[in-house]
Amino acid sequence: MNAHSEMGFGTMSIHSGHHKDAEGALAMPIYQTSTFCFDTVEEGMAKFAKEIPGYVYSRGGNPTTVELQHKIAALEKGEACVATSSGMGAIGAVLITFLKAGDHVICGECVYGCTDFVIRDTLTKFGVEVSFVDTSDIDMLRAAIKNNTTMIYFETPTNPTMKITDISAVAQIAGEKNIKVVVDNTFAPPPVQYPLAEGADFVLHSITKYINGHGDVIGGAVIGNREDIALISGSSSSKLCGATPSPFNSFLVIRGMQTMELRMERHCKNGLAIARYLEGHPLVDKVYYPGLESSPQYALAERQMHGLFSGVMSFELKEGIGGMTSYEACRKLLNHLELASIAVSLGDPGTLVQHPASMTHANVPKEKREEAGITDALIRLSAGLENIEDILSDLDQAFKKIDL
Ligand SMILES: Cc1ncc(COP(=O)(O)O)c(C=O)c1O
């Protein structure tokens, strides 16, 4: 039998990380326990001292969560993973474990609103210097590096503007200077994109999104080399600051991951079809989706995202539709959708739409938001798994209602 790492993605999503428990259960049981008993004080001491393996307390480790971590590490082709109670928990874990006062971080100019807040406001409060840079521009990135730069953090594609950064080009520059490269891969998880294979040091996920894929869990994960992940899970955020997932949520994500290949194929296929529909619509000004041949980043996205791209896109409405402001036109379009839900997540079975300027990125200062391309006319859409004809006819009827 092949080693799991040599198997196909669909096979790995089902089998990697799994080992039968003592009772031979096929599905990993939910170890819904806060603590683990020791037969003797000596055994407890030895487990605390890590002289013998074994669980002691679920904030530090739990069998259901450990299976999830093995599975995510295998899918991202990483050595190790630590799962967290949210995507923000994963981001916080990396930042507080590997940064200290006096360090300089380069952050992509367009990132998820809460990430922007933590990096812009919270890190600076602790004496970390921060620059926001368009990391898709490698020359600009190179020019922003200082003697004290220790981390480059970015999303590719960016939320919500779908800009692509060349991960291997960034990793090459960073490698020359011993700078850690952290990629938030939430929008393009495997089998779409593999940042570690491109040279990144860490991959982060909001597993709330595609990895769980069913819209019923908040969770996160960090994947990297064994030593770095041990630093996070053993002594920093996840254990001591407590960003640990519940065993029940770990179980749900393990369950969701088993259909990941099928789901990602459908999300991406629907995404491309919707992006093409929007591109041809007379009320749409611009579509941001790297899988469109008209995208200036198509060639890079094709290579880096293995021709799958993502199910997420954003688009801008034309100005002055029906004499309305951009915001009013967006509001009206979204309110008229009947199948798609207005909600701020992505990667769920159902199609979701939201208005970043007033929702996910409302806390980013307006001028910074607009510099990053998050205008009032921008709508983000996450293609669901519905039949494509139904998604398109929903969009069609909503567009007709704003163009009366
Ligand atoms: C790209 C990206 N990273 C991180 C997060 C944070 O994840 P969570 O909501 O699971 O904390 C989000 C949430 O939308 C996101 O879109």
Side-chain angles (χ1 to χ4, degrees), residues 138-195:
I138 295 297
D139 293 332
M140 210 159 15
L141 174 69
R142 199 192 307 270
I145 293 174
K146 302 181 181 187
N147 287 340
N148 58 340
T149 306
T150 56
M151 184 181 286
I152 300 174
Y153 180 104
F154 58 96
E155 296 171 2
T156 180
T158 52
N159 178 3
T161 50
M162 302 303 289
K163 232 186 210 183
I164 308 296
T165 289
D166 185 335
I167 303 168
S168 60
V170 175
Q172 196 176 345
I173 297 174
E176 289 159 13
K177 299 179 189 277
N178 218 12
I179 298 169
K180 287 199 186 294
V181 175
V182 183
V183 179
D184 182 333
N185 203 23
T186 300
F187 273 40
V192 181
Q193 180 170 273
Y194 295 86

CSV table of all heavy atoms in Angstrom, one decimal, residues 138-195:
chain,number,residue,atom,x,y,z
A,138,ILE,N,6.4,42.3,-6.5
A,138,ILE,CA,7.6,41.8,-5.8
A,138,ILE,C,8.6,42.8,-5.6
A,138,ILE,O,9.3,42.8,-4.6
A,138,ILE,CB,8.1,40.6,-6.6
A,138,ILE,CG1,7.1,39.4,-6.6
A,138,ILE,CG2,9.5,40.1,-6.1
A,138,ILE,CD1,6.8,38.8,-5.2
A,139,ASP,N,8.7,43.8,-6.5
A,139,ASP,CA,9.7,44.9,-6.3
A,139,ASP,C,9.4,45.7,-5.1
A,139,ASP,O,10.2,46.1,-4.3
A,139,ASP,CB,9.8,45.7,-7.6
A,139,ASP,CG,10.4,44.9,-8.7
A,139,ASP,OD1,11.2,44.0,-8.5
A,139,ASP,OD2,10.1,45.2,-9.9
A,140,MET,N,8.1,46.0,-5.0
A,140,MET,CA,7.6,46.8,-3.9
A,140,MET,C,7.9,46.1,-2.6
A,140,MET,O,8.3,46.7,-1.6
A,140,MET,CB,6.1,47.1,-4.1
A,140,MET,CG,5.8,48.4,-3.4
A,140,MET,SD,4.3,49.2,-3.9
A,140,MET,CE,3.2,48.6,-4.7
A,141,LEU,N,7.6,44.8,-2.6
A,141,LEU,CA,7.9,44.0,-1.4
A,141,LEU,C,9.3,44.0,-1.0
A,141,LEU,O,9.7,44.2,0.1
A,141,LEU,CB,7.4,42.5,-1.7
A,141,LEU,CG,7.7,41.5,-0.6
A,141,LEU,CD1,6.9,41.8,0.6
A,141,LEU,CD2,7.5,40.1,-1.1
A,142,ARG,N,10.2,43.8,-2.0
A,142,ARG,CA,11.6,43.8,-1.8
A,142,ARG,C,12.1,45.1,-1.1
A,142,ARG,O,12.8,45.1,-0.2
A,142,ARG,CB,12.4,43.5,-3.1
A,142,ARG,CG,13.8,43.1,-2.9
A,142,ARG,CD,14.6,43.1,-4.2
A,142,ARG,NE,14.0,42.4,-5.3
A,142,ARG,CZ,14.1,41.2,-5.6
A,142,ARG,NH1,14.9,40.4,-4.9
A,142,ARG,NH2,13.5,40.6,-6.6
A,143,ALA,N,11.5,46.2,-1.7
A,143,ALA,CA,11.9,47.5,-1.2
A,143,ALA,C,11.4,47.8,0.3
A,143,ALA,O,12.0,48.6,1.0
A,143,ALA,CB,11.3,48.6,-2.1
A,144,ALA,N,10.4,47.1,0.7
A,144,ALA,CA,9.8,47.3,2.0
A,144,ALA,C,10.5,46.5,3.1
A,144,ALA,O,10.3,46.8,4.3
A,144,ALA,CB,8.3,46.9,2.0
A,145,ILE,N,11.4,45.6,2.7
A,145,ILE,CA,12.1,44.8,3.7
A,145,ILE,C,13.2,45.7,4.5
A,145,ILE,O,13.9,46.4,3.8
A,145,ILE,CB,12.8,43.6,3.0
A,145,ILE,CG1,11.7,42.6,2.5
A,145,ILE,CG2,13.7,42.8,4.0
A,145,ILE,CD1,12.2,41.4,1.7
A,146,LYS,N,13.2,45.5,5.8
A,146,LYS,CA,14.1,46.3,6.6
A,146,LYS,C,15.0,45.3,7.3
A,146,LYS,O,14.8,44.1,7.3
A,146,LYS,CB,13.4,47.1,7.7
A,146,LYS,CG,12.4,48.1,7.1
A,146,LYS,CD,11.7,48.9,8.3
A,146,LYS,CE,10.7,49.8,7.7
A,146,LYS,NZ,10.2,50.7,8.8
A,147,ASN,N,16.0,45.8,8.0
A,147,ASN,CA,16.9,44.9,8.8
A,147,ASN,C,16.2,44.1,9.8
A,147,ASN,O,16.6,43.0,10.2
A,147,ASN,CB,18.0,45.7,9.5
A,147,ASN,CG,19.0,46.3,8.4
A,147,ASN,OD1,19.1,45.7,7.3
A,147,ASN,ND2,19.7,47.3,8.8
A,148,ASN,N,15.1,44.7,10.4
A,148,ASN,CA,14.4,44.0,11.5
A,148,ASN,C,13.2,43.3,11.0
A,148,ASN,O,12.3,42.8,11.8
A,148,ASN,CB,14.0,45.0,12.6
A,148,ASN,CG,13.2,46.1,12.1
A,148,ASN,OD1,13.2,46.4,10.9
A,148,ASN,ND2,12.5,46.8,13.0
A,149,THR,N,13.0,43.1,9.6
A,149,THR,CA,11.8,42.4,9.1
A,149,THR,C,12.0,40.9,9.5
A,149,THR,O,13.0,40.3,9.1
A,149,THR,CB,11.7,42.5,7.6
A,149,THR,OG1,11.7,43.9,7.3
A,149,THR,CG2,10.4,41.9,7.1
A,150,THR,N,11.0,40.3,10.1
A,150,THR,CA,11.1,38.9,10.5
A,150,THR,C,10.0,38.1,9.9
A,150,THR,O,10.0,36.8,10.0
A,150,THR,CB,11.2,38.7,12.0
A,150,THR,OG1,10.0,39.3,12.6
A,150,THR,CG2,12.4,39.3,12.7
A,151,MET,N,8.9,38.8,9.4
A,151,MET,CA,7.8,38.0,8.9
A,151,MET,C,7.1,38.7,7.7
A,151,MET,O,7.0,40.0,7.8
A,151,MET,CB,6.8,37.8,10.0
A,151,MET,CG,5.6,36.9,9.6
A,151,MET,SD,4.4,36.8,11.0
A,151,MET,CE,5.2,35.7,12.1
A,152,ILE,N,6.8,37.9,6.7
A,152,ILE,CA,5.9,38.5,5.6
A,152,ILE,C,4.6,37.7,5.7
A,152,ILE,O,4.6,36.4,5.6
A,152,ILE,CB,6.6,38.3,4.2
A,152,ILE,CG1,7.9,39.1,4.2
A,152,ILE,CG2,5.7,38.8,3.1
A,152,ILE,CD1,8.8,38.9,3.0
A,153,TYR,N,3.5,38.4,5.8
A,153,TYR,CA,2.2,37.7,6.0
A,153,TYR,C,1.3,38.2,4.9
A,153,TYR,O,1.2,39.4,4.6
A,153,TYR,CB,1.6,38.2,7.3
A,153,TYR,CG,0.3,37.6,7.6
A,153,TYR,CD1,0.2,36.6,8.6
A,153,TYR,CD2,-0.9,38.0,7.0
A,153,TYR,CE1,-1.1,36.0,8.8
A,153,TYR,CE2,-2.1,37.5,7.2
A,153,TYR,CZ,-2.2,36.5,8.2
A,153,TYR,OH,-3.4,35.9,8.4
A,154,PHE,N,0.7,37.2,4.2
A,154,PHE,CA,-0.3,37.6,3.1
A,154,PHE,C,-1.3,36.6,2.9
A,154,PHE,O,-1.2,35.4,3.3
A,154,PHE,CB,0.4,38.0,1.8
A,154,PHE,CG,1.3,36.9,1.2
A,154,PHE,CD1,0.8,36.1,0.2
A,154,PHE,CD2,2.6,36.7,1.7
A,154,PHE,CE1,1.6,35.1,-0.3
A,154,PHE,CE2,3.4,35.8,1.1
A,154,PHE,CZ,2.9,34.9,0.1
A,155,GLU,N,-2.4,37.0,2.2
A,155,GLU,CA,-3.4,36.1,1.7
A,155,GLU,C,-3.2,36.0,0.2
A,155,GLU,O,-3.0,37.0,-0.5
A,155,GLU,CB,-4.8,36.6,1.9
A,155,GLU,CG,-5.1,36.8,3.4
A,155,GLU,CD,-6.4,37.5,3.6
A,155,GLU,OE1,-7.1,37.9,2.7
A,155,GLU,OE2,-6.8,37.7,4.8
A,156,THR,N,-3.4,34.8,-0.4
A,156,THR,CA,-3.5,34.7,-1.9
A,156,THR,C,-4.4,33.6,-2.2
A,156,THR,O,-4.2,32.5,-1.8
A,156,THR,CB,-2.1,34.5,-2.5
A,156,THR,OG1,-2.3,34.4,-4.0
A,156,THR,CG2,-1.3,33.3,-2.1
A,157,PRO,N,-5.6,33.9,-2.8
A,157,PRO,CA,-6.0,35.2,-3.2
A,157,PRO,C,-6.4,36.1,-2.0
A,157,PRO,O,-6.8,35.5,-1.0
A,157,PRO,CB,-7.3,34.9,-4.1
A,157,PRO,CG,-7.3,33.5,-4.3
A,157,PRO,CD,-6.5,32.8,-3.3
A,158,THR,N,-6.4,37.4,-2.2
A,158,THR,CA,-6.8,38.3,-1.1
A,158,THR,C,-8.3,38.3,-0.9
A,158,THR,O,-9.0,38.2,-1.8
A,158,THR,CB,-6.3,39.7,-1.4
A,158,THR,OG1,-6.8,40.1,-2.7
A,158,THR,CG2,-4.8,39.8,-1.4
A,159,ASN,N,-8.6,38.5,0.3
A,159,ASN,CA,-10.0,38.7,0.7
A,159,ASN,C,-10.3,40.2,0.8
A,159,ASN,O,-9.7,40.8,1.7
A,159,ASN,CB,-10.3,38.0,2.1
A,159,ASN,CG,-11.7,38.1,2.6
A,159,ASN,OD1,-12.5,38.7,1.9
A,159,ASN,ND2,-11.9,37.7,3.8
A,160,PRO,N,-11.2,40.7,0.0
A,160,PRO,CA,-12.1,40.1,-1.0
A,160,PRO,C,-11.7,40.4,-2.4
A,160,PRO,O,-12.4,40.1,-3.3
A,160,PRO,CB,-13.4,40.9,-0.7
A,160,PRO,CG,-12.9,42.3,-0.4
A,160,PRO,CD,-11.6,42.2,0.3
A,161,THR,N,-10.5,41.0,-2.7
A,161,THR,CA,-10.2,41.5,-4.0
A,161,THR,C,-9.6,40.5,-5.0
A,161,THR,O,-9.4,40.8,-6.1
A,161,THR,CB,-9.3,42.8,-3.9
A,161,THR,OG1,-8.2,42.4,-3.1
A,161,THR,CG2,-10.0,44.0,-3.3
A,162,MET,N,-9.3,39.3,-4.4
A,162,MET,CA,-8.9,38.2,-5.2
A,162,MET,C,-7.6,38.4,-6.0
A,162,MET,O,-7.3,37.8,-7.0
A,162,MET,CB,-10.0,37.7,-6.2
A,162,MET,CG,-11.3,37.4,-5.6
A,162,MET,SD,-11.2,36.0,-4.4
A,162,MET,CE,-10.9,34.6,-5.4
A,163,LYS,N,-6.7,39.2,-5.4
A,163,LYS,CA,-5.3,39.4,-6.0
A,163,LYS,C,-4.4,38.3,-5.6
A,163,LYS,O,-4.5,37.7,-4.5
A,163,LYS,CB,-4.8,40.7,-5.5
A,163,LYS,CG,-4.3,41.6,-6.5
A,163,LYS,CD,-3.6,42.8,-5.9
A,163,LYS,CE,-3.8,44.0,-6.8
A,163,LYS,NZ,-3.1,45.2,-6.3
A,164,ILE,N,-3.6,37.9,-6.6
A,164,ILE,CA,-2.7,36.7,-6.4
A,164,ILE,C,-1.3,37.2,-6.1
A,164,ILE,O,-0.8,38.1,-6.8
A,164,ILE,CB,-2.7,35.9,-7.6
A,164,ILE,CG1,-4.1,35.5,-8.1
A,164,ILE,CG2,-1.8,34.6,-7.4
A,164,ILE,CD1,-4.9,34.7,-7.1
A,165,THR,N,-0.6,36.6,-5.1
A,165,THR,CA,0.8,36.8,-4.9
A,165,THR,C,1.6,35.6,-5.3
A,165,THR,O,1.1,34.4,-5.0
A,165,THR,CB,1.0,37.2,-3.4
A,165,THR,OG1,0.5,38.5,-3.2
A,165,THR,CG2,2.5,37.2,-3.0
A,166,ASP,N,2.7,35.8,-5.9
A,166,ASP,CA,3.5,34.6,-6.3
A,166,ASP,C,4.3,34.1,-5.1
A,166,ASP,O,5.3,34.7,-4.6
A,166,ASP,CB,4.5,35.1,-7.4
A,166,ASP,CG,5.4,34.0,-8.0
A,166,ASP,OD1,5.6,33.0,-7.3
A,166,ASP,OD2,5.8,34.1,-9.1
A,167,ILE,N,3.8,33.0,-4.5
A,167,ILE,CA,4.3,32.5,-3.2
A,167,ILE,C,5.8,32.2,-3.4
A,167,ILE,O,6.6,32.5,-2.5
A,167,ILE,CB,3.5,31.3,-2.7
A,167,ILE,CG1,2.1,31.6,-2.6
A,167,ILE,CG2,4.1,30.8,-1.4
A,167,ILE,CD1,1.2,30.4,-2.3
A,168,SER,N,6.2,31.5,-4.4
A,168,SER,CA,7.6,31.0,-4.5
A,168,SER,C,8.5,32.2,-4.7
A,168,SER,O,9.7,32.2,-4.2
A,168,SER,CB,7.8,30.0,-5.6
A,168,SER,OG,7.4,30.5,-6.8
A,169,ALA,N,8.0,33.3,-5.4
A,169,ALA,CA,8.9,34.5,-5.5
A,169,ALA,C,9.1,35.2,-4.2
A,169,ALA,O,10.2,35.6,-3.8
A,169,ALA,CB,8.3,35.5,-6.5
A,170,VAL,N,8.0,35.2,-3.4
A,170,VAL,CA,8.2,35.8,-2.0
A,170,VAL,C,9.1,34.9,-1.2
A,170,VAL,O,10.0,35.5,-0.5
A,170,VAL,CB,6.8,35.9,-1.3
A,170,VAL,CG1,6.9,36.4,0.1
A,170,VAL,CG2,5.9,36.9,-2.1
A,171,ALA,N,8.9,33.6,-1.2
A,171,ALA,CA,9.7,32.7,-0.4
A,171,ALA,C,11.2,32.8,-0.8
A,171,ALA,O,12.1,32.7,0.1
A,171,ALA,CB,9.2,31.3,-0.6
A,172,GLN,N,11.5,33.1,-2.0
A,172,GLN,CA,12.9,33.2,-2.4
A,172,GLN,C,13.5,34.4,-1.8
A,172,GLN,O,14.6,34.4,-1.2
A,172,GLN,CB,13.0,33.3,-4.0
A,172,GLN,CG,14.4,33.0,-4.4
A,172,GLN,CD,14.5,33.0,-5.9
A,172,GLN,OE1,13.5,32.9,-6.6
A,172,GLN,NE2,15.7,33.1,-6.4
A,173,ILE,N,12.8,35.6,-1.9
A,173,ILE,CA,13.4,36.8,-1.3
A,173,ILE,C,13.5,36.6,0.2
A,173,ILE,O,14.5,37.0,0.8
A,173,ILE,CB,12.4,38.0,-1.6
A,173,ILE,CG1,12.3,38.2,-3.1
A,173,ILE,CG2,12.9,39.2,-0.8
A,173,ILE,CD1,11.2,39.3,-3.4
A,174,ALA,N,12.5,36.1,0.8
A,174,ALA,CA,12.5,35.9,2.3
A,174,ALA,C,13.6,35.0,2.8
A,174,ALA,O,14.2,35.2,3.8
A,174,ALA,CB,11.1,35.4,2.8
A,175,GLY,N,13.8,33.9,2.0
A,175,GLY,CA,14.7,32.9,2.4
A,175,GLY,C,16.1,33.5,2.4
A,175,GLY,O,16.9,33.1,3.3
A,176,GLU,N,16.4,34.4,1.5
A,176,GLU,CA,17.8,35.0,1.5
A,176,GLU,C,18.0,35.8,2.8
A,176,GLU,O,19.1,36.0,3.2
A,176,GLU,CB,17.9,36.0,0.4
A,176,GLU,CG,17.9,35.4,-1.0
A,176,GLU,CD,17.5,36.4,-2.1
A,176,GLU,OE1,17.4,37.6,-1.9
A,176,GLU,OE2,17.3,35.9,-3.3
A,177,LYS,N,16.9,36.2,3.5
A,177,LYS,CA,17.1,37.1,4.7
A,177,LYS,C,16.5,36.5,5.9
A,177,LYS,O,16.3,37.1,6.9
A,177,LYS,CB,16.4,38.4,4.4
A,177,LYS,CG,17.0,39.2,3.2
A,177,LYS,CD,16.3,40.5,3.0
A,177,LYS,CE,16.8,41.1,1.7
A,177,LYS,NZ,18.0,41.8,1.8
A,178,ASN,N,16.3,35.2,5.9
A,178,ASN,CA,15.8,34.5,7.1
A,178,ASN,C,14.5,35.0,7.6
A,178,ASN,O,14.3,35.1,8.8
A,178,ASN,CB,16.9,34.5,8.2
A,178,ASN,CG,16.9,33.2,8.9
A,178,ASN,OD1,16.3,32.2,8.5
A,178,ASN,ND2,17.6,33.3,10.0
A,179,ILE,N,13.6,35.4,6.7
A,179,ILE,CA,12.3,36.0,7.1
A,179,ILE,C,11.2,34.9,7.0
A,179,ILE,O,11.2,34.2,5.9
A,179,ILE,CB,11.9,37.2,6.2
A,179,ILE,CG1,13.0,38.3,6.3
A,179,ILE,CG2,10.5,37.7,6.5
A,179,ILE,CD1,12.9,39.4,5.3
A,180,LYS,N,10.4,34.8,7.9
A,180,LYS,CA,9.3,33.7,7.9
A,180,LYS,C,8.2,34.2,6.9
A,180,LYS,O,7.7,35.3,7.0
A,180,LYS,CB,8.8,33.4,9.2
A,180,LYS,CG,9.7,32.6,10.1
A,180,LYS,CD,9.1,31.9,11.2
A,180,LYS,CE,10.0,31.3,12.2
A,180,LYS,NZ,10.8,30.2,11.7
A,181,VAL,N,7.7,33.3,6.1
A,181,VAL,CA,6.6,33.6,5.1
A,181,VAL,C,5.4,32.8,5.6
A,181,VAL,O,5.4,31.6,5.8
A,181,VAL,CB,7.0,33.1,3.7
A,181,VAL,CG1,5.8,33.3,2.8
A,181,VAL,CG2,8.2,33.9,3.2
A,182,VAL,N,4.3,33.6,5.9
A,182,VAL,CA,3.1,33.1,6.4
A,182,VAL,C,2.0,33.3,5.3
A,182,VAL,O,1.8,34.5,5.0
A,182,VAL,CB,2.7,33.8,7.7
A,182,VAL,CG1,1.4,33.1,8.3
A,182,VAL,CG2,3.8,33.7,8.7
A,183,VAL,N,1.3,32.3,4.9
A,183,VAL,CA,0.3,32.4,3.9
A,183,VAL,C,-1.1,32.0,4.4
A,183,VAL,O,-1.2,30.8,4.9
A,183,VAL,CB,0.6,31.6,2.6
A,183,VAL,CG1,-0.5,31.7,1.6
A,183,VAL,CG2,2.0,32.0,2.0
A,184,ASP,N,-2.0,32.9,4.4
A,184,ASP,CA,-3.4,32.5,4.7
A,184,ASP,C,-4.0,31.9,3.4
A,184,ASP,O,-4.3,32.5,2.4
A,184,ASP,CB,-4.2,33.7,5.2
A,184,ASP,CG,-5.6,33.4,5.6
A,184,ASP,OD1,-6.2,32.4,5.1
A,184,ASP,OD2,-6.2,34.1,6.4
A,185,ASN,N,-4.2,30.5,3.5
A,185,ASN,CA,-4.7,29.8,2.3
A,185,ASN,C,-6.2,29.5,2.4
A,185,ASN,O,-6.7,28.6,1.7
A,185,ASN,CB,-3.9,28.5,2.2
A,185,ASN,CG,-3.8,27.9,0.9
A,185,ASN,OD1,-4.0,28.6,-0.1
A,185,ASN,ND2,-3.6,26.6,0.8
A,186,THR,N,-6.9,30.3,3.1
A,186,THR,CA,-8.3,30.0,3.4
A,186,THR,C,-9.1,30.0,2.1
A,186,THR,O,-10.0,29.1,1.9
A,186,THR,CB,-8.9,31.1,4.3
A,186,THR,OG1,-8.2,31.0,5.5
A,186,THR,CG2,-10.4,30.9,4.5
A,187,PHE,N,-8.8,30.9,1.1
A,187,PHE,CA,-9.6,31.0,-0.1
A,187,PHE,C,-9.2,29.9,-1.2
A,187,PHE,O,-10.0,29.7,-2.1
A,187,PHE,CB,-9.3,32.3,-0.8
A,187,PHE,CG,-10.3,33.4,-0.3
A,187,PHE,CD1,-10.6,33.5,1.1
A,187,PHE,CD2,-10.8,34.3,-1.1
A,187,PHE,CE1,-11.4,34.5,1.5
A,187,PHE,CE2,-11.6,35.3,-0.7
A,187,PHE,CZ,-12.0,35.4,0.7
A,188,ALA,N,-8.1,29.2,-1.0
A,188,ALA,CA,-7.7,28.3,-2.0
A,188,ALA,C,-7.0,27.0,-1.4
A,188,ALA,O,-5.9,26.7,-1.7
A,188,ALA,CB,-6.7,29.0,-3.0
A,189,PRO,N,-7.7,26.3,-0.6
A,189,PRO,CA,-7.1,25.2,0.1
A,189,PRO,C,-6.8,24.0,-0.9
A,189,PRO,O,-7.3,24.1,-2.0
A,189,PRO,CB,-8.2,24.7,1.1
A,189,PRO,CG,-9.5,25.1,0.4
A,189,PRO,CD,-9.2,26.4,-0.3
A,190,PRO,N,-6.0,23.0,-0.5
A,190,PRO,CA,-5.8,21.9,-1.3
A,190,PRO,C,-7.1,21.3,-1.8
A,190,PRO,O,-8.1,21.3,-1.0
A,190,PRO,CB,-5.0,20.9,-0.4
A,190,PRO,CG,-4.4,21.8,0.6
A,190,PRO,CD,-5.3,22.9,0.8
A,191,PRO,N,-7.2,20.8,-3.0
A,191,PRO,CA,-6.2,20.6,-3.9
A,191,PRO,C,-5.9,21.8,-4.8
A,191,PRO,O,-5.3,21.6,-5.9
A,191,PRO,CB,-6.7,19.4,-4.8
A,191,PRO,CG,-8.2,19.6,-4.8
A,191,PRO,CD,-8.6,20.2,-3.4
A,192,VAL,N,-6.3,23.0,-4.4
A,192,VAL,CA,-6.1,24.1,-5.3
A,192,VAL,C,-4.7,24.6,-5.2
A,192,VAL,O,-4.0,24.7,-6.2
A,192,VAL,CB,-7.1,25.3,-4.9
A,192,VAL,CG1,-6.9,26.5,-5.8
A,192,VAL,CG2,-8.6,24.8,-5.0
A,193,GLN,N,-4.2,24.9,-4.0
A,193,GLN,CA,-2.9,25.6,-3.8
A,193,GLN,C,-2.2,25.0,-2.6
A,193,GLN,O,-2.8,24.7,-1.6
A,193,GLN,CB,-3.3,27.0,-3.6
A,193,GLN,CG,-2.1,28.0,-3.4
A,193,GLN,CD,-2.6,29.4,-3.4
A,193,GLN,OE1,-2.7,30.0,-4.5
A,193,GLN,NE2,-2.9,30.0,-2.3
A,194,TYR,N,-0.9,24.9,-2.7
A,194,TYR,CA,0.0,24.3,-1.7
A,194,TYR,C,1.1,25.2,-1.3
A,194,TYR,O,2.2,25.1,-1.8
A,194,TYR,CB,0.6,23.0,-2.2
A,194,TYR,CG,-0.5,21.9,-2.4
A,194,TYR,CD1,-1.1,21.8,-3.7
A,194,TYR,CD2,-0.8,21.0,-1.4
A,194,TYR,CE1,-2.1,20.8,-3.9
A,194,TYR,CE2,-1.7,20.0,-1.7
A,194,TYR,CZ,-2.4,19.9,-2.9
A,194,TYR,OH,-3.3,18.9,-3.1
A,195,PRO,N,0.9,26.2,-0.4
A,195,PRO,CA,1.9,27.2,-0.2
A,195,PRO,C,3.2,26.6,0.4
A,195,PRO,O,4.3,27.1,0.1
A,195,PRO,CB,1.2,28.1,0.9
A,195,PRO,CG,-0.2,28.0,0.6
A,195,PRO,CD,-0.4,26.5,0.2
